[in-house]
Amino acid sequence: MAIFGSHHSGKSHVAGQLIGQTNFAFGDIFVDGIELKYESKKAFAKMSFVPQDHGLWETFTPREILRFFCMLRGIVPNDIKGILRDLSSAFIMGSYMDKPIRGLGVDRRRKVNIALALIAQPTVTILEEPTRGLEPRTSREIWNVLRYKRFLGKTIIFTTSNAIELEALADRVLIYNEGEMWAFGNAQYLRSRYTKGFYLDVKLKIDGATAEEAKDKYVAKKILFNLFINIIIYAFIVYSLYKDSENLVRFVSFLHEDSELQLSN
């Protein structure tokens, strides 16, 4: 499930409530049938949390810190080697498992960070902005691991402001804004329920051309395509068109019969 919203919309506050870091005034949280409020230790034993900051000990290597957390989790020593091998393979970390964390880049640190949360096969994993600021290739590798965990029946809850990440991971979406829940459902339902249409702001600029000359020839330099759901989901796509005004109107009509076209110099 994704907790989706813009920056500073309150997503982290919701994640904090789910892990007991922030108090909540009403409602109940159950983890695999265990009520968090009254049996927090049992509930936390089935959960893991990945904060947005890395929080790794820089003198350790990924192998050392993963082994240490395995021991904290009470994993049998004979099983630790297999767990490290599986995590290294899943996150493609073999080339730097024995290198100090201080020398690793942001992408590699984030992989180690998420791997720590998956050590004990938790029932529920909560992640804050799991791939924010990462390269697309690294993001896809992390998404593949999280999708596989979901396939195994694990619950993955994450905050994000990335619509691509939402589509890649979420089967349910909670839209949060200004500290309030605005909508809940799957992405397809929200899109069909709240989409209002297409809005285009087209600005024409012709070097050295007057308004009269522009009537004969329109050259579109930039088109800002803004497709948004009437709450918070939005996306901007930039197109370049080298067509006359007549073709531009046909293009807008093709997108949506009720679209409005505004042209300005």
Side-chain angles (χ1 to χ4, degrees), residues 63-109:
R63 188 182 305 278
E64 290 170 343
I65 196 169
L66 287 169
R67 183 183 299 277
F68 179 73
F69 271 77
C70 282
M71 295 168 66
L72 287 179
R73 279 285 197 170
I75 295 174
V76 179
N78 292 337
D79 296 337
I80 292 179
K81 185 176 180 180
I83 292 174
L84 298 187
R85 182 184 63 250
D86 292 343
L87 289 173
S88 174
S89 175
F91 286 97
I92 316 177
M93 299 190 298
S95 61
Y96 53 90
M97 280 290 284
D98 297 306
K99 295 181 179 180
I101 290 174
R102 72 163 70 92
L104 302 182
V106 174
D107 289 37
R108 292 180 172 183
R109 289 180 182 223

Side-chain angles (χ1 to χ4, degrees), residues 212-231:
E212 293 297 325
E213 293 170 339
K215 290 181 181 178
D216 298 328
K217 184 178 180 182
Y218 290 90
V219 180
K221 294 292 186 179
K222 289 184 180 179
I223 291 181
L224 180 62
F225 179 90
N226 181 7
L227 166 63
F228 68 98
I229 302 177
N230 195 25
I231 37 182

Side-chain angles (χ1 to χ4, degrees), residues 252-263:
V252 175
S253 299
F254 169 75
L255 290 179
H256 198 282
E257 292 180 356
D258 299 327
S259 298
E260 296 181 359
L261 175 63
Q262 297 180 355
L263 299 176

Side-chain angles (χ1 to χ4, degrees), residues 176-203:
Y176 213 75
N177 189 46
E178 297 179 353
E180 296 181 354
M181 185 181 77
W182 282 24
F184 178 75
N186 60 51
Q188 184 177 358
Y189 164 76
L190 294 175
R191 192 179 296 111
S192 62
R193 176 67 176 80
Y194 295 105
T195 296
K196 293 297 182 182
F198 298 86
Y199 296 83
L200 283 83
D201 182 15
V202 181
K203 294 183 179 180

Side-chain angles (χ1 to χ4, degrees), residues 24-70:
F24 50 93
F26 57 89
D28 299 299
I29 298 175
F30 289 87
V31 180
D32 201 17
I34 301 170
E35 190 168 4
L36 179 64
K37 187 182 295 185
Y38 300 111
E39 298 181 278
S40 57
K41 288 185 178 180
K42 290 183 179 180
F44 290 150
K46 295 177 175 290
M47 300 172 64
S48 64
F49 176 61
V50 182
Q52 193 168 344
D53 58 329
H54 299 134
L56 302 173
W57 300 318
E58 297 198 346
T59 56
F60 280 56
T61 65
R63 188 182 305 278
E64 290 170 343
I65 196 169
L66 287 169
R67 183 183 299 277
F68 179 73
F69 271 77
C70 282

